[in-house]
Amino acid sequence: MNKRLVTPILIGFALMLLTACSKNPSTMMCLPESEANSTVNIKGGEFKFGDNRYYPNEGPIKVAQVADFNIDKTEVTNGHFKSFVDATDYVPAAERGLSDVDFPEILPEFRVPGSMVFVAPDLDKPSSPATWWQFVSGANWQNPKGPDSSIAGKEAHPVVQVTHADAIAYAQWLGRRLPTEAAWEYASRGGLEGASFSWGEERRNGGASKANHGTGPFPYNNLNKEGIVGHSH
């Protein structure tokens, strides 16, 4: 079987929620090293692509066909992205900044190297989704929240603060490509066509924990009931 697809890559924030993370922040491992960037073969087929129940841009449902493909089981990790950068001397977009020639309409303070960082609003102040993400100078994949942050000890965590162009460059280095939207949804559904969740119909808060997700009044406060903060919010 041809390896047709490359790993799903996080563009700015985690797209897929990780399970089984250690509750000790100093030694936190979100997945075994042996599982990081391993792949799985997916048998292609026909499925109902999209959904009419939640967001308008997810519909209308249509029948799609995907061929057999191979995809990574997990997000790209910091460790594997570092291998790419070290081998190629690639400089990701967040470390380059923006040209005043190509982006003259953007204010100079937003053209410097940096990226968007989620900042929880204060409970007593009005907020909107437009204010939850703030540009932080010096934020990049090695310093996800800004110059004072680090990925030290987080080699198995998902890489963040990379753009679509960065993802393509990583994929090409591996001799692969990014998944199509249809293939990604087909793989994510796990054969459960029409299910409300990737695990079936059981509600998110029913039974055993399904994934690392925020608990509490989003976006103001994460109650940290699962003992981990920061990778799904």
Side-chain angles (χ1 to χ4, degrees):
M1 180 183 298
N2 292 331
K3 288 194 173 184
R4 303 171 64 91
L5 300 180
V6 71
T7 176
I9 297 182
L10 304 183
I11 311 302
F13 54 90
L15 295 177
M16 188 170 63
L17 309 185
L18 292 179
T19 61
C21 294
S22 164
K23 293 186 179 182
N24 182 349
S26 64
T27 60
M28 194 184 300
M29 295 290 288
C30 285
L31 62 145
E33 287 283 1
S34 60
E35 289 293 308
N37 295 88
S38 59
T39 67
V40 60
N41 293 327
I42 303 293
K43 178 68 176 177
E46 186 177 274
F47 79 110
K48 293 179 180 178
F49 179 34
D51 206 303
N52 297 327
R53 294 172 290 184
Y54 306 109
Y55 299 99
N57 61 338
E58 294 179 346
I61 293 175
K62 59 184 178 181
V63 176
Q65 181 79 34
V66 296
D68 297 353
F69 61 97
N70 176 277
I71 193 168
D72 278 18
K73 292 181 179 180
T74 69
E75 299 96 325
V76 174
T77 63
N78 287 321
H80 283 80
F81 194 77
K82 182 179 186 301
S83 296
F84 158 62
V85 171
D86 290 346
T88 62
D89 292 326
Y90 180 82
V91 180
E95 297 178 53
R96 297 196 300 265
L98 301 176
S99 163
D100 59 351
V101 175
D102 296 330
F103 299 94
E105 72 283 3
I106 296 180
L107 295 174
E109 57 265 35
F110 297 128
R111 291 201 299 263
V112 300
S115 192
M116 302 297 287
V117 174
F118 178 79
V119 179
D122 295 327
L123 279 168
D124 58 348
K125 295 181 180 178
S127 73
S128 72
T131 65
W132 299 346
W133 294 89
Q134 299 178 19
F135 180 82
V136 175
S137 174
N140 55 58
W141 73 275
Q142 297 181 91
N143 311 101
K145 295 182 179 181
D148 295 331
S149 63
S150 171
I151 59 171
K154 299 179 180 179
E155 289 75 15
H157 288 218
V159 66
V160 297
Q161 302 295 22
V162 294
T163 66
H164 186 252
D166 296 334
I168 290 175
Y170 175 85
Q172 291 176 340
W173 175 66
L174 291 175
R176 308 190 214 173
R177 67 174 176 85
L178 300 181
T180 64
E181 182 182 0
W184 167 249
E185 181 173 325
Y186 181 77
S188 298
R189 286 186 175 277
L192 299 178
E193 184 172 289
S196 298
F197 306 99
S198 60
W199 56 81
E201 294 301 326
E202 185 177 48
R203 302 303 299 175
R204 185 187 69 175
N205 296 323
S209 177
K210 310 297 189 301
N212 167 32
H213 55 75
T215 54
F218 178 84
Y220 299 100
N221 186 26
N222 179 9
L223 300 179
N224 194 20
K225 291 183 177 179
E226 297 179 338
I228 183 171
V229 177
H231 296 276
S232 304
H233 325 119

